[in-house]
Amino acid sequence: MSVLSTAQESPIQTATQMARFEESNLQFELDGNLSESVWQQITPYDGMRVITPDTLAESEYTTETRIFYTERGIYVGVMNHQPTDSLVARMTPRDTRLERDGFVVGIDASGDGRYGYFMRVNLGDSKTDGTILAEKQLNMQWDGPWDARTAVVDGGWSAEFFMPWSMMALPQAAADNRPIGVYTERQVGHLNETWSSPPLPSTANEYISSFRRFNLQDIEPRRQITYYPYVSATHDAVRDDTEMRVGAEIFWRPSTNTQLSASLNPDFGNVESDDVVVNLTAYEVFFPEKRAFFLEGQDVFSTSPRNVSARGPGGPTTMLNTRRIGSSAVFDVPDGISTLATDLSAPSDLLGAAKLTGQNGNLRYGTLVAMEDDMEIRGIDANGESVALQATGRDFLVGRLLYEDASSAGRRSIGWMGTDVSHPDVDASVNGIDVHYFSPNAQWIFDGQVMQSDVNGVTGNGAIADLIYLPQRGRMHRVAAGYHDDKLDLNTLGFLTRNDLMHLDYNYVRDESNVPGLRTRNTSIFWFNQWNSNDDFVRQGVFGTREYTFLNNHTYMASLRYYHRRVDDRLGRGSGDFHVPGRWQFVTEWESNPSQELVYRLKLDADSEVLGEAWTKSLAGVSYRPVDNFSFNADIEYTDREGLMVYRGMAITPNTKLRNGRPS
């Protein structure tokens, strides 16, 4: 079966006119029940096919989807038919992935497969959302101002969605013909299946460009302005110090395709805290952005699929990591002065930030400016006297231009992005050019980027490239390459796990459905080669993994991995490189049907220490979910470790700055 056949098998491919109603004429309550009269005036559609496993078979139950729009936004109502006693509802925090009943609505706001949004509500009203960039780059950091509710009804369950126009970036379009794409997806927990319309399995390259097409008329949302003022007070009992803060965040959309946002004297005290990570490696940990101001409209600043995933060596590679803005200040601590590590690592206060994003035809653009306030902490000198240490705040500037052409089959784009950080001790700028290609036959995807950094007069260069080839659905070849010289420095405003690295990796994935006695069988081979400028391999090996899903939805995985002999040029932290011998690793895992109330799992991991001592880890666990809003997990783990490597060398103090994995 060809790759294109997945989209061609969709029951509706031509654009249809979406029903429109006046908001003032609706008597609508978003409660999950399709009791409003407006739903009865709309003809439902189905077209669901099984995409997990990717058999593309017709769905077992009927799914009736209805959709209409008003001057405020889009409404979606869905009736999910299935036996009531088979419903699986599990309530979790936002953006939690779990086996259960759920429904997804995807919106291609660009109308031609360039960018969009996905929103999912699970039975019980738990939500997941994110943004989409071509072709299927999902960014789940975004939390949008949409809403949805679910309800258990006779013959299954239903859901209602409302997505306001104000949350979407809409390109300029003719008043009588605005194209938009819609995708619907349904997860059926007790079957351990996912269905979608159009049928777009993950084993094919196509996604947002193949959404179901609708035409809309008379959509020109009025200019909207939203603001969030705040007043806060903080009292430090240790220092007997009280601080008052007053500020606001403002979001203004003067037109459908432009948004201006500003944050004045922001207070991010209500932002979700980061997970606690004990990092014993020589590499910096990447933390995702969680502040709403920096998340809104951030996708225009995406330059590569590696920005939000660990496709690259060690983690994301990105020119813009907004977590640098407002991070710990740059203090110069004189000899003989002692300070608290928590003071040195405390976040900087922002004076303000502003961001402009928009679109003009095929050109998308964005700019971001931010200014930090000066910081002051207390230190203790050799005589025990208190001294004041001051740090000047940094100024940040980001610019982005992206030209995208999706007028014919396939898609092509080229973009530029530049960043600048100004500080008395730091003068850093980074520039990059990125190119992207999606072939008309949906078999080839290419993403590439070249970068140059200039930090305090030191220039570095780098390049990354990803090539994906799908000769047919269920088979994927991916080649990833990269070059980062030892002077490349993205970490003043971006994120790079390490420089002085070249890599050439290959990944082959084969997904098979309808194998006799199995639901699915997945095979993966990953071969990686990474070396430094001394031509020393710093990471090299090959992984082979096979995973089975049985007819009863139990799963079994086995992975055999070989790590070739290599050189570690980072863990020594300046005290010297050392060789690491080659080693084998075997990992196997079994789990029972995840849709059941009681789930069992077993895992065995046979590996060895970096310098050779063997160790084996075994785990047995159980999960119990008797009701929707309660879960209990218990694991027993046993580790047989013959030796533990403890590094003794250069001490890393709070004042030691790590840059690209090396002390500076």
Side-chain angles (χ1 to χ4, degrees):
M1 181 177 290
S2 69
V3 178
L4 281 175
S5 64
T6 59
Q8 293 171 343
E9 291 176 3
S10 178
I12 298 178
Q13 283 300 307
T14 58
T16 58
Q17 188 66 42
M18 185 182 295
R20 188 185 192 281
F21 295 87
E22 292 294 327
E23 189 75 31
S24 58
N25 295 333
L26 296 180
Q27 294 181 345
F28 196 93
E29 181 181 358
L30 194 74
D31 57 5
N33 289 287
L34 306 180
S35 56
E36 291 81 7
S37 60
V38 64
W39 295 123
Q40 312 313 315
Q41 303 176 49
I42 301 170
T43 302
Y45 68 86
D46 190 347
M48 289 282 182
R49 298 288 185 91
V50 180
I51 62 170
T52 304
D54 67 337
T55 61
L56 300 185
E58 293 187 3
S59 57
E60 183 172 340
Y61 309 127
T62 301
T63 306
E64 297 176 351
T65 302
R66 295 173 170 87
I67 183 169
F68 71 91
Y69 71 100
T70 71
E71 67 275 16
R72 288 188 60 225
I74 295 180
Y75 291 82
V76 176
V78 58
M79 175 61 201
N80 300 295
H81 293 274
Q82 72 183 79
T84 306
D85 59 2
S86 68
L87 298 179
V88 180
R90 291 167 178 168
M91 285 173 275
T92 60
R94 194 165 186 142
D95 294 341
T96 299
R97 297 183 179 183
L98 199 65
E99 294 77 12
R100 52 187 162 183
D101 293 328
F103 195 85
V104 174
V105 175
I107 300 293
D108 171 18
S110 71
D112 56 10
R114 284 183 284 173
Y115 59 86
Y117 311 85
F118 76 90
M119 292 133 290
R120 170 180 175 136
V121 65
N122 304 295
L123 183 57
D125 295 344
S126 299
K127 298 180 178 65
T128 298
D129 56 4
T131 57
I132 311 171
L133 288 179
E135 184 68 24
K136 195 176 183 178
Q137 300 179 49
L138 305 181
N139 183 357
M140 295 181 63
Q141 297 178 21
W142 177 79
D143 290 332
W146 61 281
D147 201 3
R149 292 291 186 271
T150 63
V152 177
V153 297
D154 291 339
W157 66 283
S158 58
E160 292 178 321
F161 291 75
F162 172 66
M163 294 148 284
W165 295 122
S166 59
M167 82 174 194
M168 305 182 196
L170 299 172
Q172 292 289 348
D176 60 345
N177 184 19
R178 174 181 292 279
I180 199 169
V182 177
Y183 167 83
T184 55
E185 179 182 292
R186 177 180 174 185
Q187 183 181 13
V188 186
H190 81 283
L191 295 178
N192 198 21
E193 289 185 352
T194 301
W195 313 335
S196 79
S197 176
L200 301 173
S202 60
T203 53
N205 275 340
E206 295 166 304
Y207 188 62
I208 190 172
S209 63
S210 295
F211 282 11
R212 184 186 302 265
R213 298 295 150 188
F214 288 91
N215 287 330
L216 286 71
Q217 295 180 347
D218 300 327
I219 289 300
E220 188 65 32
R222 63 181 183 273
R223 299 177 181 180
Q224 299 192 27
I225 184 168
T226 305
Y227 55 91
Y228 302 95
Y230 81 90
V231 177
S232 68
T234 304
H235 177 70
D236 188 334
V238 175
R239 295 182 172 87
D240 192 21
D241 181 42
T242 300
E243 180 184 16
M244 294 288 297
R245 295 176 65 91
V246 179
E249 289 189 3
I250 304 170
F251 299 90
W252 180 42
R253 191 177 288 280
S255 65
T256 60
N257 62 347
T258 305
Q259 183 176 43
L260 176 63
S261 52
S263 186
L264 308 175
N265 195 27
D267 176 21
F268 299 115
N270 61 344
V271 176
E272 177 186 358
S273 299
D274 293 315
D275 295 333
V276 176
V277 178
V278 179
N279 181 18
L280 301 180
T281 73
Y283 303 98
E284 181 183 6
V285 175
F286 177 82
F287 290 98
E289 181 61 83
K290 298 181 179 180
R291 296 170 292 183
F293 172 81
F294 292 106
L295 289 173
E296 187 67 29
Q298 69 171 354
D299 286 322
V300 70
F301 298 102
S302 177
T303 60
S304 167
R306 300 196 192 191
N307 292 171
V308 293
S309 70
R311 280 189 176 184
T317 299
T318 177
M319 291 174 54
L320 177 60
N321 174 23
T322 52
R323 289 298 296 267
R324 305 287 186 196
I325 302 174
S327 61
S328 56
V330 181
F331 284 97
D332 183 11
V333 182
D335 294 337
I337 302 296
S338 61
T339 59
L340 295 176
T342 52
D343 287 346
L344 288 173
S345 61
S348 301
D349 293 330
L350 289 183
L351 292 173
K355 178 167 52 178
L356 174 67
T357 59
Q359 179 177 345
N360 185 3
N362 290 338
L363 184 66
R364 298 176 67 197
Y365 55 87
T367 184
L368 169 67
V369 295
M371 296 171 289
E372 292 178 341
D373 196 0
D374 297 341
M375 296 286 289
E376 180 177 305
I377 62 174
R378 310 300 295 179
I380 303 297
D381 63 15
N383 298 321
E385 298 292 332
S386 177
V387 295
L389 299 176
Q390 294 184 338
T392 303
R394 294 160 291 190
D395 296 331
F396 303 90
L397 175 62
V398 183
R400 172 66 166 159
L401 293 172
L402 177 64
Y403 179 83
E404 301 170 291
D405 181 11
S407 57
S408 58
R411 186 180 61 258
R412 297 148 297 278
S413 61
I414 182 170
W416 163 85
M417 191 162 83
T419 68
D420 183 83
V421 179
S422 298
H423 183 270
D425 297 328
V426 179
D427 183 10
S429 62
V430 179
N431 286 276
I433 300 293
D434 54 288
V435 295
H436 312 273
Y437 173 75
F438 185 81
S439 69
N441 62 6
Q443 290 185 328
W444 296 91
I445 296 179
F446 176 78
D447 298 283
Q449 184 177 14
V450 294
M451 299 161 286
Q452 183 178 76
S453 65
D454 186 342
V455 180
N456 295 332
V458 178
T459 301
N461 298 282
I464 54 178
D466 295 283
L467 179 66
I468 295 177
Y469 172 57
L470 268 75
Q472 64 184 71
R473 198 182 82 244
R475 299 190 183 186
M476 183 199 75
H477 303 266
R478 175 178 173 267
V479 177
Y483 168 79
H484 306 135
D485 69 18
D486 60 353
K487 301 296 191 300
L488 180 67
D489 187 356
L490 305 183
N491 288 348
T492 51
L493 188 49
F495 188 90
L496 179 65
T497 302
R498 59 162 293 170
N499 55 18
D500 188 17
L501 181 75
M502 282 63 71
H503 76 95
L504 181 63
D505 307 332
Y506 169 75
N507 188 205
Y508 171 75
V509 176
R510 181 174 182 179
D511 292 290
E512 302 170 273
S513 302
N514 292 328
V515 179
L518 298 172
R519 287 171 57 84
T520 61
R521 180 172 62 197
N522 175 272
T523 305
S524 174
I525 299 174
F526 180 43
W527 177 57
F528 52 93
N529 294 272
Q530 301 169 15
W531 64 96
N532 60 22
S533 57
N534 294 328
D535 292 329
D536 292 327
F537 282 104
V538 296
R539 191 169 183 262
Q540 186 182 35
V542 59
F543 292 178
T545 303
R546 174 67 67 86
E547 184 172 355
Y548 304 87
T549 301
F550 300 96
L551 297 178
N552 58 4
N553 285 330
H554 295 351
T555 59
Y556 173 74
M557 182 275 294
S559 179
L560 184 62
R561 308 167 185 178
Y562 176 69
Y563 301 87
H564 194 268
R565 184 177 183 269
R566 64 182 178 88
V567 171
D568 194 312
D569 62 349
R570 287 297 188 265
L571 188 58
R573 293 177 171 89
S575 63
D577 303 343
F578 59 92
H579 284 88
V580 176
R583 75 183 197 275
W584 291 90
Q585 181 184 13
F586 176 71
V587 180
T588 184
E589 187 172 3
W590 174 87
E591 185 179 60
S592 64
N593 186 347
S595 67
Q596 299 299 310
E597 291 183 359
L598 201 58
V599 180
Y600 303 95
R601 55 188 170 273
L602 298 171
K603 183 177 181 179
L604 175 68
D605 186 350
D607 200 353
S608 61
E609 296 288 350
V610 174
L611 294 182
E613 295 292 341
W615 60 268
T616 303
K617 180 185 297 183
S618 54
L619 179 145
V622 61
S623 296
Y624 181 51
R625 303 183 181 96
V627 292
D628 302 343
N629 58 355
F630 174 81
S631 65
F632 173 79
N633 299 302
D635 291 319
I636 298 176
E637 182 178 300
Y638 175 76
T639 301
D640 182 7
R641 209 160 194 164
E642 298 181 7
L644 177 65
M645 187 188 78
V646 178
Y647 178 79
R648 296 179 62 187
M650 172 182 154
I652 301 297
T653 69
N655 294 336
T656 303
K657 300 293 184 181
L658 291 180
R659 184 164 300 283
N660 296 300
R662 289 190 183 277
S664 61

